[in-house]
Amino acid sequence: MSKTKFIFVTGGVTSSLGKGIISASIARLLVSRGFTVAIQKLDPYINIDPGTLNPYEHGECYVTDDGAETDLDLGHYERFTNVPTSQANNVTTGVIYQSVISKERKGEFLGETVQVIPHITDEIKYRIKILANRGNFDFLITEIGGTVGDIESLPFIEAVRQMRWELGKNSVVVHLTLVPFLAAAGELKTKPTQHSVKMLQEQGVQPDIIVCRTEKNLNEGLRNKIALFCNVTTSSVIECIDAETIYDVPILMKKENLDLEILKKAGIPAEGEPDLEEWKKFLHKLKNPVRDVQIGLVGKYVELKDAYKSINEAFIHAGAANECRVVVKSIHSEYMDESNANEKLKGLDGILVAPGFGERGIEGKITAIKYAREQGIPFLGICLGMQCAVIEFGRNVLGYKGAHSTEFNRSTPYPVIDMMEMQKKISGLGGTMRLGAYPCRLKKGSLVYDIFGIEHISERHRHRYEFNNEYKEVYTNAGMTPVGLNEKDNLVEIIELKDHPWFIGVQFHPEYRSTVANPHPLFVSFVKAAIDHASGTK
Ligand code: GLN
C-alpha cells in the first residue's frame, strides 16, 4: 500500500483563477519541508494532448523530457519545484477514453456494458494512483482542470469522490474560488464561493480547505462566514490576494499557513518551517533590479501572453540571476518588414525570435534577424527562430536568392532547412514530431561551450525540420558555424555567428528547462549580453 497522501485541487466560480500556481505553490512549500512531491494535471478536454491545439485556444504547449506535449501548467510545476514532469503528469479525457475504448476492443471487459462509472472513473483513478506508486512520493497533487459545474469535468470530480471514500485521511481537497469585490457595494462577496462549494458538495465532495482569490484582504468576519457556509474551519479559509508576481504566491500561502493546514488534514505532524531561503533570495533579486534591459520578442502570437509562457518566465529567472529587469517588448512578426524594422527594433538590447509553425509572420522574423545580425544586437533564435536565422544568412550573406525551409516552400532552389529524414515517412499529426530531450555535443572553443561549461548537454525538442547538412560546409566557411550536434542522428542543434557579439540559434527549446532554482544558462548569458550591449551603447 502506497504511503502517498493525495491532494486534489479543484476550482470554482470561474476559470483562470490560478489553480496551476496554487498547486505549484503547495508543491513548493511541501518540497521546502523536505517531502517528495509530484504534481499532475487532469484536463477535461477530448484532445489527447494540447500538441494539436492552436496557442490561441490553449496557450503554450509545454514539452517534457520524455517528449509529452502537455498543458502549460506543467511548466509552472517544474519552474516552482525544479522536479521534472513526464507524460504521466498530464492526462486528458481523450487519453482516458482512448485507453478504455482500446481495452474494450481487446475484449478486456468482455460481457460488460462499458460505462462512465465505473470504467471511466476507474481509468482516471488508475492514472492518479500509477503516478503516486511510480515515485512512491510523500504527496501527489492532482489538479483538476476546468471549473466545478462543467459537464466535462464531472467524471473527474466523481473519481475524486470515490478516491476520498477509499483514502479517508490520506486525501485532502483544496478548492480554489473567487471572492469578488463589488465596487458599487464597496464589499467583497462570498456568495459565488458558497455556490461553488455547494455544487462540489452536490457532487459528493466536501472540500477541506478553501483558497479564496481576492483583490482585497479577507477580514475575520468574511472568513467566518465562508467557514460557516462551507463546512470548514476558519483556519482552512485561505486568502490568496492578487500578487505582484506569481513567484510571491508560495510566500503568501506560507503566511496563510496553507502548508500547515494541509499537513493537519493529512494527519502529518508539522516539524519546523519550510526552507524558503533560496526562494526568498530569488524574489529579492527579482524585485530589486539594478538595471533594466529591453529585449524584443518577435513572434506571431505576441498578443497572447500565454503563447510564450516559458520564454517569458525564463527571462524572469535570467533577469533575477543578472539582477536586472528584462522588459520584454512584444513585436508582431506579421506586421514587420524592411520599411519599419528600424522603427520597431531600435533601442533594443536583445532580440529573441520565437518558435512556431506555419508561414504567417516568417518574413518579419527574417527581417528582425537581419537587423540583429547587421547591428550587432544580441540574438537568440529558438527552433523556428534558429531556422529563420539560417534562411536569413543564406539569402543575405551567401546570396542564395529564395533560400527557404521546405516547410514553407517545397520547391525552393536552396532548401537550407529541410524535413528530417525520420519525419518523411510520418503522415499523422499529434505526438509525431521529434519530441523531448535529446543529447547534444558542444564544440570546444565555441560561445555555447563557454556558456554551458560542459561538452554534453540534453535539451528538449519539438520540431520536424532541421538544418540541411548539405550546406554545413558553406555556412561554416562563411561564418555561421554549427556548434552543437546530435551525433547519433547527425543533426545540427546549435548555430552561432563568428563575427558578432552574441548570436545563437538553437533547434531545441531552452525555455522549457529554466526554473527558479536553475535559470537556463543560455537565457542567463543572453540577458548578460543584452546588459553589455546596453552599457556599450549608452
Ligand atoms: N516549424 C518548425 C519545425 O517543425 C519549427 C518548430 C518550432 O519552432 N517548435 O521544425
Side-chain angles (χ1 to χ4, degrees), residues 49-55 59-64 67-70 301 307 355-357 382-384 387 407 420 423 429-438 459-466 493 506-512:
D49 60 45
T52 52
L53 283 175
N54 189 318
E60 167 190 281
C61 171
Y62 186 77
V63 179
T64 58
E69 296 178 281
T70 71
Y301 296 115
F357 297 82
I382 298 182
C383 207
L384 182 60
Q387 298 175 357
E407 178 178 2
M420 287 180 282
Q423 283 288 325
L429 298 178
T432 55
M433 281 184 256
R434 180 172 180 244
L435 289 165
Y438 285 92
E459 294 283 345
R460 299 181 195 172
H461 297 253
R462 184 171 186 243
H463 65 120
R464 291 194 176 85
Y465 293 80
E466 58 156 332
E493 305 281 33
V506 288
Q507 187 56 78
F508 50 79
H509 292 258
E511 70 275 23
Y512 293 144

Side-chain angles (χ1 to χ4, degrees), residues 365-436:
K365 287 184 172 174
I366 293 171
T367 307
I369 294 167
K370 178 165 185 267
Y371 186 89
R373 182 177 57 76
E374 291 179 344
Q375 307 290 321
I377 299 169
F379 164 80
L380 177 59
I382 298 182
C383 207
L384 182 60
M386 173 239 187
Q387 298 175 357
C388 286
V390 172
I391 297 167
E392 192 280 323
F393 194 83
R395 289 183 189 176
N396 300 323
V397 177
L398 297 169
Y400 292 164
K401 202 161 172 281
H404 224 322
S405 161
T406 51
E407 178 178 2
F408 312 118
N409 179 2
R410 279 179 192 221
S411 51
T412 164
Y414 301 101
V416 290
I417 301 292
D418 198 7
M419 188 176 265
M420 287 180 282
E421 254 339 287
M422 55 180 114
Q423 283 288 325
K424 290 186 178 159
K425 321 175 252 313
I426 300 172
S427 57
L429 298 178
T432 55
M433 281 184 256
R434 180 172 180 244
L435 289 165

